[in-house]
Structures are given as C-alpha cells and as structure tokens.
Amino acid sequence: MLSVCGFAANGAKKVLLVGIDGVQYEHILKLNTPAFDRLNITKAYTGGVAGNKSEQKTISGPGWTTILTGVWKNKHGVVSNTHGLANSQWPSIYRYLHDANRQFKLYGFSTWGPIHSQFFKNDMPFLSAHAEGGSDDDNLNRTLKVLYHDSPDFIFLHLDEPDAAGHSHGFGQAYDDSIIRSDNRLGMLLDAVAQREQVFAENWLVLVTTDHGRDFMGKGHGGQTKQEKTIFIASNKPLNKNYQSIITLPNKHFGGLYGLPAQTYIVPTILNYFGVMSDIHWRLDGLPLVGDIKVNRIYADIGGKKCGLEWDMSTGSPSTLGANEHVAKFDCDGNADPLFIKGNKIYANIFNSGCTLQWDADKGTPLTLEENEHVAKFDCTDFGDPLQINDQQITSYINDQLCGFQWDSDAGTPITLGRNEHVAKFDCEGSPDQLVIE
Ligand SMILES: [Zn+2]
C-alpha cells in the first residue's frame, strides 16, 4: 500500500476542476455527502471585495470567469451572463496551460453554455474535446469517458442542477436532492481518478468549487450578502494554510469571509501544481493553495528605526494616483507588508488584488518631492515597472536615467500617511537607500 502511494505521488501531474453551480456551502455540511467527505473543504468567497474596484455580482458570468482566470471583474471585464468575450489580457486556465505545454491534453464540458460559447470562445481550439449545454449526466459521462479511455492532463467540468433547482424551488427538498445527485456524480469522478492513479501512477489534483451562494430563500443570488458571497473550495490535496498569514484585508465584514481564500485562488493553485506558475502570474488576484508561499519583506533603517515597506490602504492618496493604485511607504512601527520578489518585479496582494511596485511618471507629486523624484506606488491593474533588485538596494530606469529607490525624510507627506511613515520614491539624482530584504 505504501509503495503504491509513494509511486503515485511521483507520477505525472493532472488536474480535474469540477464546478457545481449555485451550491450553498452550508448545505454540503448539512446533507449526507459521502463524496465531499473524501475531500478537504474550505469555505471561501466570491463577489470581489464589496465597495472596492474588484466588487462583482454574485452571478454565474463573473463567477465562472473569475474561477477560470484568477482575477476579478476589474480585470476580466465580464459583468453579466451575456457579456461576450472576457478580456483576453487576462487569459483563461485553458490558455495558460496550452501556452505552458502544447502537448497538454485539455478538456472542457460545461452544462451552462456561455462559459465556452461566450467568455472563452477563442480558447476552444486549444481543447482536445469540449461540450456546451445538455444535461449534467451528459457532461459527467463525457468526463468519465475521457478519464477511462483518454490521457487527459486537465479537465474542467461544469454541473448545473443545484442552481436550476434553487431558481425553481428555493431551498427545500428539490434543492437538497440536486446536491445529493451532484455528490453522487462527484463520487464517480473521484473513483475514476483513483483508478487512473492506480493504473497509470498519475498524481491528480482534484478541485471542486461553485460560482456563488444563494439569497435567504435560496431562489436568487447576485448581491453582496454573506450567504451569496460564501462559496467553498474542496480538494483531494491538503490546502496550505499560510496564505492566511499574508492576507492584507481588514477582515471585519461578512463574518470574517475576507480571511478565507477567494475564487481567484483556483487558477494560481492549478498553475503552481503543474509547476508552470511563472513570475507574471503573481499579478493574478489569488495565491496558490497547494505548495508553499514564500514571502519577502523589505526594511530600511531610518534614523535608527526599523521601517518596513508597506502600501497605503487608502488608494491614490497623492492626487495623481488612480483608483487602482496605492502609495508605497516606509512605516517605522517595525512591521512590513508581505511582498513577492519575482524576477525584476515586486508583487503585492492588496485587498486580494495582485499589484506591482511602480514609479509614478509624474514627478514630485507629494509636495515635498522634488523635480527629479518620482513617487513609488503599487499598481493593481498594470504591469509592474522593471527593477534591478539586489540584497541591499533597488534601482530602476526612468526616462533613461538610473533612479534609486529611497524614502523621503519628511514623514507623512501625502495626507493619508501618519507621523511615523515616510513616502517611498525613486530619486534620479541621489543613490539608492540601503535596504534589508528578508
Ligand atoms: Zn443562478
């Protein structure tokens, strides 16, 4: 037994992503669901961050697009169920995997058609086989056939019955039955995966999720309430917990939902599992749930105090910064915000949005900055600026000039900064300030 498990663990990595539409997390717990019981399950959230740029309706179009892109609607652009194509600047998992390995055999079977016929229509040529519409059993059988007879690397299966039952009947027997039938289907899928692991020594990651919760009666959904925002992520692998230590969201709303992983975590989890998560994927709005997350922190000694590089929670404090931007600062309370230094960029996850360190092209925005100085910021939409990063300093070219990353000696320049805080900047005359990168 041990040797079989050990062997399988080293086998080729494969992923099955099962999406079950409109399942209220609490109903999985309440009902007898033996297939879900075979998995690790965590509560999670959708709908972006209420009141933030990432807020999106808790409906299927934005939800499935987030599940398959790893970003919220301010990036993927899908705001409704009839939106048409998602923003191709933020690719789907199909495209990411196709680009990572042209030999990958990808499959997608979706009872709810618009996922394939609208949002990711242009990705269909990457799939070895796909289907839209039909019944859940049609698409279950397509998936089982692939698992038993083909050599898939990635399969996405969308099942719809619970959402349809909820819309027709609200919570009650019909809704509960639809979840039990979904659990039954999940059991058949897990058996097929287990058989492949035995026969072919493959190593499968199974992820199960939903696009949104339901309103109080169970009939509708779309709003920003705790139970519409509550979803789940289930997996046959242990889900790492340390993402919780790097969450940067004030977590007082919706009963602490923002302390949980979000719908945006699915794509980074799959990319990381396949070992194809490259530097640029840290721009995504989620973090991987399998594998360790390694965090960096940057400190400077300012007047004998240990000051950490942080972002300002209030976006766009200096007037030139936009709604997607957060001013960068050194805070001398001894803490530093978690960062990811990847290649020549510095990434941060702010309000569960992937952001990158940049300079502002407008010089000297806050009053105390001079002509040759540019305020540093974290931008949550655009690409980060390329930086030269070594153990002790950061520099960057701005208009062909080499500029050093520094702090401003005047504390609290932009209005939102406190007395103990210094705005971060790139100075194109002086040398970069000495840093400690941990
Ligand atoms: Zn629905």
Side-chain angles (χ1 to χ4, degrees), residues 282-326:
W282 291 87
R283 292 169 72 214
L284 296 173
D285 293 336
L287 298 165
L289 283 170
V290 294
D292 286 336
I293 305 173
K294 294 218 167 52
V295 161
N296 297 107
R297 294 176 207 273
I298 296 177
Y299 298 93
D301 182 309
I302 305 182
K305 285 185 188 165
K306 191 180 187 187
C307 307
L309 181 60
E310 298 185 345
W311 49 82
D312 203 32
M313 279 300 185
S314 317
T315 53
S317 344
S319 47
T320 54
L321 294 194
N324 289 313
E325 300 175 323
H326 299 260

mmCIF file of all heavy atoms in Angstrom, residues 282-326:
data_model
loop_
_atom_site.group_PDB
_atom_site.id
_atom_site.type_symbol
_atom_site.label_atom_id
_atom_site.label_comp_id
_atom_site.label_asym_id
_atom_site.label_seq_id
_atom_site.Cartn_x
_atom_site.Cartn_y
_atom_site.Cartn_z
ATOM 1 N N TRP A 282 2.066 36.190 -10.647
ATOM 2 C CA TRP A 282 1.863 36.821 -9.340
ATOM 3 C C TRP A 282 1.036 38.093 -9.460
ATOM 4 O O TRP A 282 0.664 38.699 -8.467
ATOM 5 C CB TRP A 282 3.209 37.063 -8.644
ATOM 6 C CG TRP A 282 3.810 35.753 -8.252
ATOM 7 C CD1 TRP A 282 4.605 34.960 -9.048
ATOM 8 C CD2 TRP A 282 3.604 35.030 -7.041
ATOM 9 N NE1 TRP A 282 4.902 33.787 -8.382
ATOM 10 C CE2 TRP A 282 4.313 33.807 -7.146
ATOM 11 C CE3 TRP A 282 2.897 35.291 -5.866
ATOM 12 C CZ2 TRP A 282 4.331 32.858 -6.125
ATOM 13 C CZ3 TRP A 282 2.921 34.347 -4.847
ATOM 14 C CH2 TRP A 282 3.629 33.146 -4.982
ATOM 15 N N ARG A 283 0.736 38.514 -10.686
ATOM 16 C CA ARG A 283 -0.206 39.628 -10.907
ATOM 17 C C ARG A 283 -1.652 39.179 -10.715
ATOM 18 O O ARG A 283 -2.551 40.015 -10.647
ATOM 19 C CB ARG A 283 -0.108 40.146 -12.345
ATOM 20 C CG ARG A 283 1.165 40.824 -12.712
ATOM 21 C CD ARG A 283 1.208 41.022 -14.217
ATOM 22 N NE ARG A 283 0.283 42.042 -14.677
ATOM 23 C CZ ARG A 283 -0.352 42.009 -15.833
ATOM 24 N NH1 ARG A 283 -0.207 40.997 -16.653
ATOM 25 N NH2 ARG A 283 -1.156 42.989 -16.186
ATOM 26 N N LEU A 284 -1.883 37.873 -10.737
ATOM 27 C CA LEU A 284 -3.250 37.388 -10.557
ATOM 28 C C LEU A 284 -3.762 37.801 -9.182
ATOM 29 O O LEU A 284 -2.984 38.115 -8.285
ATOM 30 C CB LEU A 284 -3.285 35.862 -10.710
ATOM 31 C CG LEU A 284 -2.898 35.333 -12.094
ATOM 32 C CD1 LEU A 284 -2.802 33.811 -12.083
ATOM 33 C CD2 LEU A 284 -3.916 35.785 -13.133
ATOM 34 N N ASP A 285 -5.083 37.756 -9.009
ATOM 35 C CA ASP A 285 -5.679 38.266 -7.768
ATOM 36 C C ASP A 285 -5.736 37.229 -6.644
ATOM 37 O O ASP A 285 -6.194 37.538 -5.550
ATOM 38 C CB ASP A 285 -7.082 38.814 -8.057
ATOM 39 C CG ASP A 285 -7.024 40.066 -8.930
ATOM 40 O OD1 ASP A 285 -5.976 40.743 -8.929
ATOM 41 O OD2 ASP A 285 -8.019 40.369 -9.613
ATOM 42 N N GLY A 286 -5.272 36.020 -6.897
ATOM 43 C CA GLY A 286 -5.263 34.992 -5.863
ATOM 44 C C GLY A 286 -3.865 34.432 -5.651
ATOM 45 O O GLY A 286 -2.918 34.800 -6.350
ATOM 46 N N LEU A 287 -3.759 33.523 -4.695
ATOM 47 C CA LEU A 287 -2.485 32.894 -4.356
ATOM 48 C C LEU A 287 -2.672 31.384 -4.408
ATOM 49 O O LEU A 287 -3.784 30.891 -4.250
ATOM 50 C CB LEU A 287 -2.067 33.323 -2.943
ATOM 51 C CG LEU A 287 -1.843 34.829 -2.768
ATOM 52 C CD1 LEU A 287 -1.793 35.196 -1.296
ATOM 53 C CD2 LEU A 287 -0.584 35.274 -3.482
ATOM 54 N N PRO A 288 -1.592 30.626 -4.632
ATOM 55 C CA PRO A 288 -1.744 29.173 -4.710
ATOM 56 C C PRO A 288 -2.106 28.534 -3.374
ATOM 57 O O PRO A 288 -1.554 28.898 -2.339
ATOM 58 C CB PRO A 288 -0.364 28.684 -5.188
ATOM 59 C CG PRO A 288 0.538 29.833 -5.163
ATOM 60 C CD PRO A 288 -0.227 31.076 -4.903
ATOM 61 N N LEU A 289 -3.038 27.588 -3.424
ATOM 62 C CA LEU A 289 -3.466 26.861 -2.217
ATOM 63 C C LEU A 289 -2.718 25.550 -2.031
ATOM 64 O O LEU A 289 -2.861 24.901 -1.012
ATOM 65 C CB LEU A 289 -4.965 26.558 -2.299
ATOM 66 C CG LEU A 289 -5.904 27.720 -1.995
ATOM 67 C CD1 LEU A 289 -7.333 27.349 -2.361
ATOM 68 C CD2 LEU A 289 -5.815 28.121 -0.539
ATOM 69 N N VAL A 290 -1.966 25.124 -3.038
ATOM 70 C CA VAL A 290 -1.080 23.973 -2.837
ATOM 71 C C VAL A 290 0.347 24.450 -3.052
ATOM 72 O O VAL A 290 0.615 25.285 -3.918
ATOM 73 C CB VAL A 290 -1.404 22.784 -3.787
ATOM 74 C CG1 VAL A 290 -2.764 22.205 -3.480
ATOM 75 C CG2 VAL A 290 -1.285 23.191 -5.244
ATOM 76 N N GLY A 291 1.264 23.925 -2.252
ATOM 77 C CA GLY A 291 2.662 24.373 -2.298
ATOM 78 C C GLY A 291 2.850 25.578 -1.393
ATOM 79 O O GLY A 291 1.902 26.272 -1.062
ATOM 80 N N ASP A 292 4.085 25.781 -0.962
ATOM 81 C CA ASP A 292 4.369 26.865 -0.028
ATOM 82 C C ASP A 292 4.337 28.219 -0.726
ATOM 83 O O ASP A 292 4.685 28.323 -1.881
ATOM 84 C CB ASP A 292 5.761 26.691 0.595
ATOM 85 C CG ASP A 292 5.751 25.573 1.630
ATOM 86 O OD1 ASP A 292 4.656 25.301 2.167
ATOM 87 O OD2 ASP A 292 6.814 25.000 1.872
ATOM 88 N N ILE A 293 3.925 29.221 0.032
ATOM 89 C CA ILE A 293 4.030 30.594 -0.463
ATOM 90 C C ILE A 293 5.191 31.241 0.285
ATOM 91 O O ILE A 293 5.182 31.285 1.514
ATOM 92 C CB ILE A 293 2.750 31.396 -0.180
ATOM 93 C CG1 ILE A 293 1.525 30.693 -0.753
ATOM 94 C CG2 ILE A 293 2.871 32.802 -0.753
ATOM 95 C CD1 ILE A 293 0.218 31.359 -0.349
ATOM 96 N N LYS A 294 6.183 31.703 -0.443
ATOM 97 C CA LYS A 294 7.317 32.366 0.208
ATOM 98 C C LYS A 294 7.177 33.883 0.077
ATOM 99 O O LYS A 294 7.016 34.420 -0.993
ATOM 100 C CB LYS A 294 8.626 31.896 -0.416
ATOM 101 C CG LYS A 294 8.866 30.422 -0.127
ATOM 102 C CD LYS A 294 10.329 30.115 0.139
ATOM 103 C CE LYS A 294 10.476 28.713 0.726
ATOM 104 N NZ LYS A 294 9.790 27.683 -0.084
ATOM 105 N N VAL A 295 7.273 34.520 1.217
ATOM 106 C CA VAL A 295 7.029 35.955 1.289
ATOM 107 C C VAL A 295 8.335 36.690 1.526
ATOM 108 O O VAL A 295 9.214 36.182 2.210
ATOM 109 C CB VAL A 295 6.035 36.215 2.452
ATOM 110 C CG1 VAL A 295 6.066 37.651 2.903
ATOM 111 C CG2 VAL A 295 4.622 35.813 2.047
ATOM 112 N N ASN A 296 8.485 37.871 0.944
ATOM 113 C CA ASN A 296 9.614 38.755 1.235
ATOM 114 C C ASN A 296 9.112 39.995 1.959
ATOM 115 O O ASN A 296 7.958 40.392 1.798
ATOM 116 C CB ASN A 296 10.300 39.213 -0.063
ATOM 117 C CG ASN A 296 10.906 38.054 -0.822
ATOM 118 O OD1 ASN A 296 10.401 37.651 -1.849
ATOM 119 N ND2 ASN A 296 11.985 37.501 -0.296
ATOM 120 N N ARG A 297 10.004 40.591 2.745
ATOM 121 C CA ARG A 297 9.708 41.883 3.368
ATOM 122 C C ARG A 297 10.934 42.769 3.202
ATOM 123 O O ARG A 297 12.067 42.281 3.240
ATOM 124 C CB ARG A 297 9.351 41.706 4.845
ATOM 125 C CG ARG A 297 8.035 40.947 5.058
ATOM 126 C CD ARG A 297 7.712 40.689 6.523
ATOM 127 N NE ARG A 297 6.873 39.502 6.660
ATOM 128 C CZ ARG A 297 5.532 39.500 6.581
ATOM 129 N NH1 ARG A 297 4.895 40.627 6.400
ATOM 130 N NH2 ARG A 297 4.848 38.388 6.687
ATOM 131 N N ILE A 298 10.710 44.051 3.019
ATOM 132 C CA ILE A 298 11.809 44.998 2.773
ATOM 133 C C ILE A 298 11.824 46.038 3.886
ATOM 134 O O ILE A 298 10.793 46.629 4.204
ATOM 135 C CB ILE A 298 11.637 45.679 1.391
ATOM 136 C CG1 ILE A 298 11.755 44.623 0.274
ATOM 137 C CG2 ILE A 298 12.670 46.787 1.205
ATOM 138 C CD1 ILE A 298 11.519 45.169 -1.122
ATOM 139 N N TYR A 299 13.013 46.234 4.480
ATOM 140 C CA TYR A 299 13.152 47.184 5.584
ATOM 141 C C TYR A 299 14.228 48.215 5.264
ATOM 142 O O TYR A 299 15.163 47.949 4.507
ATOM 143 C CB TYR A 299 13.545 46.457 6.876
ATOM 144 C CG TYR A 299 12.528 45.452 7.355
ATOM 145 C CD1 TYR A 299 12.625 44.104 6.982
ATOM 146 C CD2 TYR A 299 11.477 45.838 8.174
ATOM 147 C CE1 TYR A 299 11.686 43.177 7.423
ATOM 148 C CE2 TYR A 299 10.536 44.918 8.617
ATOM 149 C CZ TYR A 299 10.656 43.585 8.237
ATOM 150 O OH TYR A 299 9.726 42.665 8.668
ATOM 151 N N ALA A 300 14.094 49.369 5.881
ATOM 152 C CA ALA A 300 15.139 50.400 5.820
ATOM 153 C C ALA A 300 15.352 50.918 7.234
ATOM 154 O O ALA A 300 14.419 50.940 8.046
ATOM 155 C CB ALA A 300 14.692 51.543 4.911
ATOM 156 N N ASP A 301 16.597 51.316 7.512
ATOM 157 C CA ASP A 301 16.891 51.951 8.794
ATOM 158 C C ASP A 301 16.744 53.454 8.593
ATOM 159 O O ASP A 301 17.502 54.062 7.854
ATOM 160 C CB ASP A 301 18.316 51.588 9.228
ATOM 161 C CG ASP A 301 18.673 52.192 10.582
ATOM 162 O OD1 ASP A 301 18.467 53.425 10.748
ATOM 163 O OD2 ASP A 301 19.155 51.460 11.462
ATOM 164 N N ILE A 302 15.740 54.036 9.228
ATOM 165 C CA ILE A 302 15.524 55.484 9.094
ATOM 166 C C ILE A 302 15.673 56.097 10.476
ATOM 167 O O ILE A 302 14.839 55.867 11.355
ATOM 168 C CB ILE A 302 14.138 55.798 8.485
ATOM 169 C CG1 ILE A 302 13.963 55.079 7.135
ATOM 170 C CG2 ILE A 302 13.956 57.308 8.326
ATOM 171 C CD1 ILE A 302 12.646 55.346 6.429
ATOM 172 N N GLY A 303 16.770 56.797 10.669
ATOM 173 C CA GLY A 303 17.030 57.441 11.956
ATOM 174 C C GLY A 303 17.064 56.454 13.112
ATOM 175 O O GLY A 303 16.550 56.749 14.195
ATOM 176 N N GLY A 304 17.633 55.255 12.849
ATOM 177 C CA GLY A 304 17.756 54.261 13.905
ATOM 178 C C GLY A 304 16.496 53.430 14.129
ATOM 179 O O GLY A 304 16.467 52.560 14.989
ATOM 180 N N LYS A 305 15.457 53.686 13.341
ATOM 181 C CA LYS A 305 14.228 52.896 13.472
ATOM 182 C C LYS A 305 14.130 51.901 12.325
ATOM 183 O O LYS A 305 14.528 52.197 11.199
ATOM 184 C CB LYS A 305 13.003 53.815 13.426
ATOM 185 C CG LYS A 305 12.769 54.607 14.691
ATOM 186 C CD LYS A 305 11.456 55.379 14.540
ATOM 187 C CE LYS A 305 11.251 56.353 15.681
ATOM 188 N NZ LYS A 305 10.193 57.320 15.354
ATOM 189 N N LYS A 306 13.568 50.742 12.627
ATOM 190 C CA LYS A 306 13.344 49.737 11.584
ATOM 191 C C LYS A 306 12.006 50.033 10.903
ATOM 192 O O LYS A 306 10.945 49.930 11.523
ATOM 193 C CB LYS A 306 13.330 48.333 12.205
ATOM 194 C CG LYS A 306 13.377 47.223 11.170
ATOM 195 C CD LYS A 306 13.369 45.837 11.832
ATOM 196 C CE LYS A 306 13.582 44.741 10.787
ATOM 197 N NZ LYS A 306 13.410 43.400 11.348
ATOM 198 N N CYS A 307 12.099 50.419 9.651
ATOM 199 C CA CYS A 307 10.896 50.842 8.919
ATOM 200 C C CYS A 307 10.649 49.877 7.764
ATOM 201 O O CYS A 307 11.557 49.565 7.005
ATOM 202 C CB CYS A 307 11.065 52.261 8.395
ATOM 203 S SG CYS A 307 11.546 53.420 9.701
ATOM 204 N N GLY A 308 9.427 49.375 7.655
ATOM 205 C CA GLY A 308 9.122 48.372 6.644
ATOM 206 C C GLY A 308 8.380 48.969 5.455
ATOM 207 O O GLY A 308 7.569 49.880 5.613
ATOM 208 N N LEU A 309 8.668 48.415 4.266
ATOM 209 C CA LEU A 309 7.951 48.855 3.064
ATOM 210 C C LEU A 309 6.516 48.339 3.137
ATOM 211 O O LEU A 309 6.278 47.139 3.303
ATOM 212 C CB LEU A 309 8.642 48.327 1.805
ATOM 213 C CG LEU A 309 8.002 48.738 0.475
ATOM 214 C CD1 LEU A 309 7.965 50.261 0.303
ATOM 215 C CD2 LEU A 309 8.741 48.104 -0.702
ATOM 216 N N GLU A 310 5.582 49.254 3.021
ATOM 217 C CA GLU A 310 4.163 48.923 3.081
ATOM 218 C C GLU A 310 3.426 49.695 1.991
ATOM 219 O O GLU A 310 3.996 50.529 1.310
ATOM 220 C CB GLU A 310 3.575 49.293 4.466
ATOM 221 C CG GLU A 310 4.225 48.520 5.609
ATOM 222 C CD GLU A 310 3.583 48.790 6.964
ATOM 223 O OE1 GLU A 310 2.826 49.778 7.080
ATOM 224 O OE2 GLU A 310 3.846 48.006 7.885
ATOM 225 N N TRP A 311 2.163 49.384 1.834
ATOM 226 C CA TRP A 311 1.330 50.196 0.950
ATOM 227 C C TRP A 311 0.313 50.910 1.813
ATOM 228 O O TRP A 311 0.035 50.508 2.944
ATOM 229 C CB TRP A 311 0.623 49.351 -0.098
ATOM 230 C CG TRP A 311 -0.058 48.157 0.469
ATOM 231 C CD1 TRP A 311 -1.278 48.094 1.059
ATOM 232 C CD2 TRP A 311 0.477 46.831 0.524
ATOM 233 N NE1 TRP A 311 -1.532 46.824 1.471
ATOM 234 C CE2 TRP A 311 -0.476 46.020 1.153
ATOM 235 C CE3 TRP A 311 1.676 46.254 0.074
ATOM 236 C CZ2 TRP A 311 -0.279 44.665 1.361
ATOM 237 C CZ3 TRP A 311 1.883 44.908 0.284
ATOM 238 C CH2 TRP A 311 0.908 44.123 0.922
ATOM 239 N N ASP A 312 -0.244 51.960 1.245
ATOM 240 C CA ASP A 312 -1.269 52.700 1.962
ATOM 241 C C ASP A 312 -2.614 52.091 1.594
ATOM 242 O O ASP A 312 -2.935 51.925 0.429
ATOM 243 C CB ASP A 312 -1.216 54.175 1.539
ATOM 244 C CG ASP A 312 -1.832 55.061 2.608
ATOM 245 O OD1 ASP A 312 -1.735 54.703 3.789
ATOM 246 O OD2 ASP A 312 -2.410 56.093 2.253
ATOM 247 N N MET A 313 -3.397 51.738 2.602
ATOM 248 C CA MET A 313 -4.698 51.133 2.350
ATOM 249 C C MET A 313 -5.598 52.065 1.532
ATOM 250 O O MET A 313 -6.340 51.624 0.675
ATOM 251 C CB MET A 313 -5.400 50.798 3.672
ATOM 252 C CG MET A 313 -4.912 49.497 4.269
ATOM 253 S SD MET A 313 -5.206 48.101 3.156
ATOM 254 C CE MET A 313 -4.678 46.762 4.216
ATOM 255 N N SER A 314 -5.510 53.367 1.833
ATOM 256 C CA SER A 314 -6.285 54.318 1.029
ATOM 257 C C SER A 314 -5.637 54.394 -0.340
ATOM 258 O O SER A 314 -4.452 54.647 -0.440
ATOM 259 C CB SER A 314 -6.281 55.705 1.648
ATOM 260 O OG SER A 314 -6.473 55.612 3.022
ATOM 261 N N THR A 315 -6.416 54.150 -1.359
ATOM 262 C CA THR A 315 -5.830 54.201 -2.702
ATOM 263 C C THR A 315 -5.585 55.640 -3.094
ATOM 264 O O THR A 315 -6.266 56.557 -2.635
ATOM 265 C CB THR A 315 -6.753 53.558 -3.754
ATOM 266 O OG1 THR A 315 -8.036 54.173 -3.649
ATOM 267 C CG2 THR A 315 -6.873 52.071 -3.549
ATOM 268 N N GLY A 316 -4.604 55.810 -3.965
ATOM 269 C CA GLY A 316 -4.427 57.079 -4.660
ATOM 270 C C GLY A 316 -4.341 58.324 -3.789
ATOM 271 O O GLY A 316 -4.910 59.346 -4.159
ATOM 272 N N SER A 317 -3.596 58.262 -2.687
ATOM 273 C CA SER A 317 -3.540 59.467 -1.845
ATOM 274 C C SER A 317 -3.003 60.696 -2.579
ATOM 275 O O SER A 317 -3.669 61.713 -2.606
ATOM 276 C CB SER A 317 -2.729 59.239 -0.572
ATOM 277 O OG SER A 317 -2.551 57.888 -0.329
ATOM 278 N N PRO A 318 -1.803 60.606 -3.195
ATOM 279 C CA PRO A 318 -1.393 61.793 -3.941
ATOM 280 C C PRO A 318 -2.354 61.967 -5.116
ATOM 281 O O PRO A 318 -2.823 60.989 -5.687
ATOM 282 C CB PRO A 318 0.014 61.448 -4.428
ATOM 283 C CG PRO A 318 0.449 60.282 -3.608
ATOM 284 C CD PRO A 318 -0.809 59.537 -3.287
ATOM 285 N N SER A 319 -2.623 63.173 -5.472
ATOM 286 C CA SER A 319 -3.706 63.418 -6.429
ATOM 287 C C SER A 319 -3.488 62.745 -7.776
ATOM 288 O O SER A 319 -4.445 62.402 -8.448
ATOM 289 C CB SER A 319 -3.919 64.919 -6.619
ATOM 290 O OG SER A 319 -2.669 65.538 -6.806
ATOM 291 N N THR A 320 -2.231 62.507 -8.160
ATOM 292 C CA THR A 320 -2.020 61.904 -9.483
ATOM 293 C C THR A 320 -2.249 60.394 -9.507
ATOM 294 O O THR A 320 -2.275 59.805 -10.574
ATOM 295 C CB THR A 320 -0.595 62.160 -10.005
ATOM 296 O OG1 THR A 320 0.313 61.707 -9.001
ATOM 297 C CG2 THR A 320 -0.383 63.619 -10.309
ATOM 298 N N LEU A 321 -2.376 59.766 -8.358
ATOM 299 C CA LEU A 321 -2.568 58.311 -8.375
ATOM 300 C C LEU A 321 -4.025 57.968 -8.698
ATOM 301 O O LEU A 321 -4.942 58.673 -8.306
ATOM 302 C CB LEU A 321 -2.173 57.689 -7.035
ATOM 303 C CG LEU A 321 -0.691 57.750 -6.634
ATOM 304 C CD1 LEU A 321 -0.418 56.801 -5.485
ATOM 305 C CD2 LEU A 321 0.231 57.456 -7.786
ATOM 306 N N GLY A 322 -4.185 56.847 -9.415
ATOM 307 C CA GLY A 322 -5.523 56.441 -9.836
ATOM 308 C C GLY A 322 -6.178 55.510 -8.827
ATOM 309 O O GLY A 322 -5.584 55.144 -7.811
ATOM 310 N N ALA A 323 -7.384 55.115 -9.127
ATOM 311 C CA ALA A 323 -8.179 54.290 -8.217
ATOM 312 C C ALA A 323 -7.575 52.904 -8.003
ATOM 313 O O ALA A 323 -7.823 52.272 -6.980
ATOM 314 C CB ALA A 323 -9.599 54.152 -8.747
ATOM 315 N N ASN A 324 -6.775 52.435 -8.963
ATOM 316 C CA ASN A 324 -6.171 51.110 -8.832
ATOM 317 C C ASN A 324 -4.801 51.154 -8.183
ATOM 318 O O ASN A 324 -4.089 50.165 -8.166
ATOM 319 C CB ASN A 324 -6.025 50.457 -10.203
ATOM 320 C CG ASN A 324 -7.372 50.056 -10.763
ATOM 321 O OD1 ASN A 324 -8.174 49.453 -10.068
ATOM 322 N ND2 ASN A 324 -7.616 50.416 -12.002
ATOM 323 N N GLU A 325 -4.409 52.323 -7.670
ATOM 324 C CA GLU A 325 -3.042 52.493 -7.189
ATOM 325 C C GLU A 325 -2.996 52.805 -5.695
ATOM 326 O O GLU A 325 -3.852 53.514 -5.173
ATOM 327 C CB GLU A 325 -2.360 53.616 -7.972
ATOM 328 C CG GLU A 325 -2.294 53.323 -9.460
ATOM 329 C CD GLU A 325 -1.733 54.452 -10.279
ATOM 330 O OE1 GLU A 325 -2.015 55.625 -9.949
ATOM 331 O OE2 GLU A 325 -1.008 54.174 -11.240
ATOM 332 N N HIS A 326 -1.963 52.285 -5.049
ATOM 333 C CA HIS A 326 -1.749 52.526 -3.619
ATOM 334 C C HIS A 326 -0.357 53.133 -3.447
ATOM 335 O O HIS A 326 0.614 52.596 -3.978
ATOM 336 C CB HIS A 326 -1.805 51.221 -2.828
ATOM 337 C CG HIS A 326 -3.116 50.508 -2.930
ATOM 338 N ND1 HIS A 326 -4.066 50.578 -1.941
ATOM 339 C CD2 HIS A 326 -3.638 49.728 -3.911
ATOM 340 C CE1 HIS A 326 -5.120 49.851 -2.304
ATOM 341 N NE2 HIS A 326 -4.884 49.325 -3.493
#
